[in-house]
Amino acid sequence: MSVEQIATSLPIISGKSTPQHPLGPLTASEIKESSRLIKSAWPSDVNIQFKSITLQEPQKAELLHFLAAEHSGQATPTIERRSFVVYYLRNTDKLHEAVVSLSAGKVESNLRLGPNVHSNADGDEIIAVERIALEDEKVQAEIKKLQLPEGTVVISDPWIYGSDGINEGLFSDDKRMFQCFLYVRDPNNSSQADSNHYAMPLSISPVVSAETMRVTRIDILPTGIDNTIKEPSPYKVQPPNEYIHEAQELRTDLKPLNVVQPEGASFKVSNYSEQGHNIEWQKWTFKVGFNQREGMVLYDVHYDGRPLFYRLSLSDMNIPYADPRHPFHKKAAFDLGDAGAGIMANNLQLGCDCLGSIHYLSAVLNDDKGEPLDMPNCVCIHEQDNGIGWKHTNYRTGRAAVVRNRELVLQSIITVSNYEYILAFMFNQAGEVTYEVRATGILSTQPIDEGISVPFGTVVHPGVLAVHHQHIFSLRVDPMIDGPLNRVVYDEAHAMPRSDFNPHGVGYTVSETPITTSGGYDLDYDVNRTFKIQNSAIKNPINGKPVAYKIHAPPFQKMLADPQSYHHKRAEFADHNIYVTSYRDDELYAGGKYTNQSRGGTGVRSWADRKDDVQDQDIVVWVQFGINHVPRIEDFPVMPCEILKVSLKPVNFFERNPAIDVPPSTQTFNKSVLASVAHQQEVGEAVVGGDGECCVRESSKL
């Protein structure tokens, strides 16, 4: 009997785990049990390479009953606990996905996936590929031609190989591969492990097979204005361009800005399972989970007891590059599907990544051997002041009524080789939720001959080219606006024609159009097109309009690659601002479940093409946003944060401003000081005009 046949006829193995909440991330013991059950299905000499062991979320129909009972204080139904396991037989192309019943202690299903389906890279694998590329004799022979100064350290950056459909000998994207880009540390400071090697790229690019873990070919990169390839020749050492603090002349006139909450934070954190957390803050309640691919996931989001969202997560991102030359034409990263936002999450540091009164959440994921992997401090929770929330001054009396806009922030930071993404869900007191992405880190660079420029990139340092690229994100919104059956509509503003009623031609109206079938839809700023998620069955008691949340998303240039290109085929979400699909349990990732060297046809564009009925149904809304990053020299050696935000805001959901009951902003509460004399004051003393209640007294007395 073959090992594949053994795996599809697995015995029930005892070892039931402690009951957990159906939405609770897997515990360390559940990860180990899942790994054990998978390994036990194979002969003992079979080496398993685990890619992901994560929660198999229950069917939504089951969970809605569970959550309804939980919220009403009734007994909750029993839901079987399962894990979803993705693994290879190590050093083969035999990729499997399995569902493990942790409740029953058995493997329920095990499927070997077909050709052109590849899983994500893992940390141990990346490190191994780096080493293999640099130890290869042929690679060393090419490096020798550069005549690098003695002691120079060469660095390898493995990239997911990408797809171009070419299958000719060594130039094949059928098998899982890594394309390695080589750099050197500053030869004059080669012992500095944090030296910015991206300022010193080389023209040698080994390709490593993920199956054999050997170099299969060596590409020589074009460094001119066209496809011309030149043999490696003596390397000209350029001046370094470092980002680390000790390499700078730091400013000396910056004084401390401390975020102090003397009575502690206003939010509450509790556990709904061993690894899952409940958050309560300013009428908001929701659950926080964490997994290998998406990182932070929010479930069961309510405001003031009313349901808003069943599930919120960053579903996908794609970064296609603009250089059309081999091998750069394949360069298009899917950072979540190719690696994982969870597994790449930073260990956040107090006072560095998060300021104020901080609560950290940690997680447990898995390594390639199926063992638990601790992810400490991968989410930080804190409050921040974001200016004025609302204000009005009665000019007749001079009295000002004003409140501050306090926000709750849940933040995670991921490092994807050279790039960092700071990812945050932000809640305010007016019933609004924002998803924010801050892109920073270091540009992905490549060598360029001195004295030339190309139209698809920017020279950011002598001999260093940063190619234009796009960052396209997809936020998955599983709405539950006052109930599970929702619709998406869009408003448009149009000028009234001149008439007896509108003789001066100044009138305009707003019309509303429902989306009835699944598909991709776009913003149109010329008519102020605004998408809203509605519950048409629930009407606002004041104006009779359906309760809704509108989507505020920034404009972005859609995927620039040709529609027939693999870039376009693979990033199925990158061609529309909004996708609306009918809900299906296994459709979580806009680019498809397996993005590594994918071919397309398994993501949100394909699901939308079903043309399902999405009017007053259980729907999913996919919100795309991004930037076309045309690098500036100011983006190097490290990039100032580029900030993107998507907001979900109530429309006719409340009977008035939901932040009307926020306490007033007062000097007694805020304890601000006058900058000109602040240094003269003792700790804890405040300097104000008037009696300290300036924010609610007559403005003429401030």
Side-chain angles (χ1 to χ4, degrees):
M1 180 180 285
S2 70
V3 287
E4 282 84 3
Q5 291 172 319
I6 293 172
T8 56
S9 57
L10 303 174
I12 295 177
I13 301 172
S14 62
K16 298 181 181 180
S17 58
T18 303
Q20 292 282 342
H21 191 284
L23 288 174
L26 295 186
T27 65
S29 61
E30 289 177 322
I31 289 170
K32 294 181 74 170
E33 177 68 357
S34 300
S35 169
R36 185 186 71 80
L37 288 168
I38 293 295
K39 289 176 180 177
S40 69
W42 297 91
S44 59
D45 60 344
V46 174
N47 191 345
I48 304 293
Q49 182 183 15
F50 289 93
K51 289 297 183 176
S52 178
I53 303 175
T54 192
L55 176 70
Q56 173 77 3
E57 294 184 13
Q59 293 182 353
K60 189 176 183 180
E62 285 186 288
L63 266 173
L64 288 178
H65 291 297
F66 183 98
L67 294 173
E70 186 177 59
H71 284 291
S72 64
Q74 299 175 359
T76 54
T78 299
I79 295 181
E80 191 164 359
R81 192 145 168 88
R82 296 179 172 90
S83 62
F84 181 73
V85 184
V86 179
Y87 67 95
Y88 279 100
L89 305 189
R90 196 179 294 274
N91 300 129
T92 76
D93 64 350
K94 296 175 180 178
L95 177 63
H96 297 75
E97 62 178 30
V99 175
V100 175
S101 171
L102 293 163
S103 300
K106 66 176 183 178
V107 177
E108 288 188 336
S109 66
N110 185 77
L111 176 67
R112 180 181 170 186
L113 303 177
N116 300 122
V117 180
H118 306 288
S119 188
N120 55 290
D122 63 69
D124 288 342
E125 185 175 56
I126 292 286
I127 298 300
V129 170
E130 289 183 12
R131 175 181 53 78
I132 288 163
L134 295 177
E135 290 178 353
D136 182 82
E137 291 182 358
K138 292 182 179 179
V139 173
Q140 291 179 353
E142 295 296 327
I143 293 173
K144 189 174 182 179
K145 297 176 184 178
L146 301 175
Q147 299 179 21
L148 297 172
E150 186 176 352
T152 298
V153 176
V154 181
I155 304 295
S156 172
D157 258 22
W159 271 66
I160 295 296
Y161 185 78
S163 299
D164 59 7
I166 293 174
N167 187 16
E168 299 173 0
L170 295 178
F171 294 86
S172 171
D173 67 353
D174 278 350
K175 299 295 186 179
R176 191 165 69 95
M177 315 282 268
F178 290 93
Q179 184 94 40
C180 298
F181 298 104
L182 303 189
Y183 306 84
V184 295
R185 290 185 196 156
D186 177 13
N188 296 315
N189 192 17
S190 59
S191 63
Q192 174 52 265
D194 292 309
S195 176
N196 179 21
H197 57 269
Y198 297 105
M200 298 183 177
L202 303 179
S203 62
I204 301 164
S205 180
V207 174
V208 176
S209 165
E211 290 179 34
T212 65
M213 296 301 275
R214 294 181 179 177
V215 173
T216 62
R217 74 169 195 266
I218 302 171
D219 292 334
I220 305 300
L221 305 177
T223 58
I225 60 174
D226 55 24
N227 290 300
T228 302
I229 300 298
K230 295 178 291 186
E231 279 294 305
S233 59
Y235 179 77
K236 180 180 178 180
V237 177
Q238 300 287 359
N241 198 336
E242 305 292 6
Y243 64 90
I244 53 178
H245 301 302
E246 58 267 33
Q248 321 303 325
E249 289 189 20
L250 298 176
R251 305 177 191 193
T252 59
D253 58 348
L254 190 64
K255 297 182 179 179
L257 193 162
N258 298 320
V259 179
V260 179
Q261 293 181 274
E263 298 179 20
S266 302
F267 57 84
K268 297 179 181 178
V269 181
S270 59
N271 285 78
Y272 69 85
S273 73
E274 182 179 316
Q275 292 293 322
H277 300 86
N278 286 311
I279 310 296
E280 299 176 56
W281 179 82
Q282 293 293 291
K283 302 184 182 181
W284 289 99
T285 60
F286 52 88
K287 295 176 173 64
V288 183
F290 195 89
N291 63 53
Q292 181 270 342
R293 179 164 179 161
E294 298 162 292
M296 182 168 39
V297 181
L298 305 188
Y299 303 99
D300 195 29
V301 180
H302 284 63
Y303 186 88
D304 203 15
R306 297 171 68 180
L308 296 178
F309 306 104
Y310 175 77
R311 192 183 194 275
L312 294 172
S313 68
L314 182 64
S315 168
D316 231 322
M317 70 168 83
N318 180 238
I319 305 92
Y321 282 75
D323 191 336
R325 303 171 298 177
H326 174 84
F328 302 116
H329 70 289
K330 298 185 278 77
K331 198 172 178 181
F334 289 80
D335 289 336
L336 272 64
D338 293 350
I343 200 68
M344 296 184 295
N346 290 188
N347 182 344
L348 304 177
Q349 300 299 308
L350 194 66
C352 301
D353 302 304
C354 312
L355 301 181
S357 296
I358 307 300
H359 184 92
Y360 289 106
L361 305 182
S362 298
V364 179
L365 301 177
N366 68 280
D367 65 14
D368 70 326
K369 300 169 186 61
E371 292 297 315
L373 180 66
D374 288 330
M375 301 292 295
N377 300 350
C378 54
V379 175
C380 70
I381 306 174
H382 62 99
E383 295 174 282
Q384 67 184 20
D385 180 280
N386 193 18
I388 290 174
W390 61 261
K391 179 176 182 175
H392 178 65
T393 300
N394 185 337
Y395 75 88
R396 295 176 180 83
T397 66
R399 178 174 175 174
V402 59
V403 305
R404 305 295 297 176
N405 180 18
R406 183 81 64 91
E407 293 179 330
L408 179 71
V409 181
L410 286 83
Q411 177 179 283
S412 186
I413 303 176
I414 65 173
T415 296
V416 193
S417 191
N418 55 296
Y419 248 104
E420 266 76 22
Y421 296 99
I422 303 164
L423 311 173
F425 285 102
M426 305 161 72
F427 299 82
N428 71 14
Q429 295 154 304
E432 302 170 357
V433 57
T434 295
Y435 190 76
E436 179 185 89
V437 174
R438 295 180 178 230
T440 181
I442 302 178
L443 296 161
S444 178
T445 59
Q446 60 195 63
I448 188 170
D449 296 339
E450 287 191 81
I452 68 170
S453 62
V454 292
F456 46 80
T458 303
V459 175
V460 294
H461 187 68
V464 179
L465 179 68
V467 169
H468 307 333
H469 54 282
Q470 295 178 274
H471 299 256
I472 304 174
F473 304 87
S474 182
L475 181 69
R476 185 180 184 273
V477 179
D478 189 341
M480 200 169 174
I481 307 298
D482 262 350
L485 302 182
N486 292 165
R487 62 167 65 177
V488 174
V489 303
Y490 58 87
D491 287 348
E492 292 183 349
H494 294 277
M496 290 182 185
R498 282 184 179 268
S499 66
D500 291 341
F501 180 70
N502 182 34
H504 302 288
V506 299
Y508 70 90
T509 60
V510 175
S511 61
E512 182 180 283
T513 303
I515 292 174
T516 58
T517 58
S518 60
Y521 301 89
D522 291 308
L523 297 169
D524 184 347
Y525 282 87
D526 288 335
V527 295
N528 195 48
R529 184 178 294 160
T530 303
F531 292 89
K532 298 184 295 188
I533 307 170
Q534 276 185 353
N535 186 330
S536 63
I538 308 296
K539 302 295 194 293
N540 186 287
I542 306 298
N543 60 21
K545 292 184 177 292
V547 297
Y549 262 67
K550 68 178 178 179
I551 300 166
H552 271 199
F556 77 98
Q557 191 169 19
K558 312 301 189 304
M559 169 73 74
L560 280 163
D562 184 274
Q564 298 306 310
S565 69
Y566 275 90
H567 281 6
H568 191 278
K569 290 177 181 177
R570 299 173 66 207
E572 294 205 12
F573 51 92
D575 56 349
H576 288 290
N577 294 103
I578 301 288
Y579 268 100
V580 184
T581 62
S582 58
Y583 177 87
R584 294 197 181 181
D585 281 314
D586 201 33
E587 294 178 352
L588 294 174
Y589 313 120
K593 188 183 292 185
Y594 300 99
T595 58
N596 187 358
Q597 297 178 224
S598 58
R599 295 295 197 266
T602 60
V604 68
R605 186 189 301 140
S606 302
W607 306 332
D609 284 345
R610 295 192 298 252
K611 299 302 177 186
D612 291 337
D613 178 12
V614 293
Q615 190 168 11
D616 303 324
Q617 302 292 329
D618 188 0
I619 60 172
V620 178
V621 182
W622 314 75
V623 184
Q624 282 63 246
F625 57 104
I627 54 174
N628 185 349
H629 191 178
V630 178
R632 312 169 294 158
I633 202 164
E634 292 85 357
D635 291 333
F636 203 69
V638 66
M639 175 183 163
C641 281
E642 189 84 25
I643 303 174
L644 296 166
K645 294 184 179 184
V646 173
S647 295
L648 302 168
K649 301 188 176 188
V651 179
N652 302 314
F653 191 82
F654 300 101
E655 295 182 28
R656 57 179 184 165
N657 178 356
I660 198 72
D661 58 352
V662 174
S665 178
T666 66
Q667 173 57 15
T668 303
F669 190 79
N670 296 327
K671 291 182 169 51
S672 296
V673 298
L674 295 176
S676 59
V677 293
H679 65 282
Q680 300 173 1
Q681 306 307 307
E682 295 180 2
V683 175
E685 211 174 297
V687 180
V688 298
D691 62 3
E693 296 299 325
C694 55
C695 299
V696 295
R697 295 183 66 82
E698 296 180 10
S699 57
S700 61
K701 295 182 180 179
L702 295 178

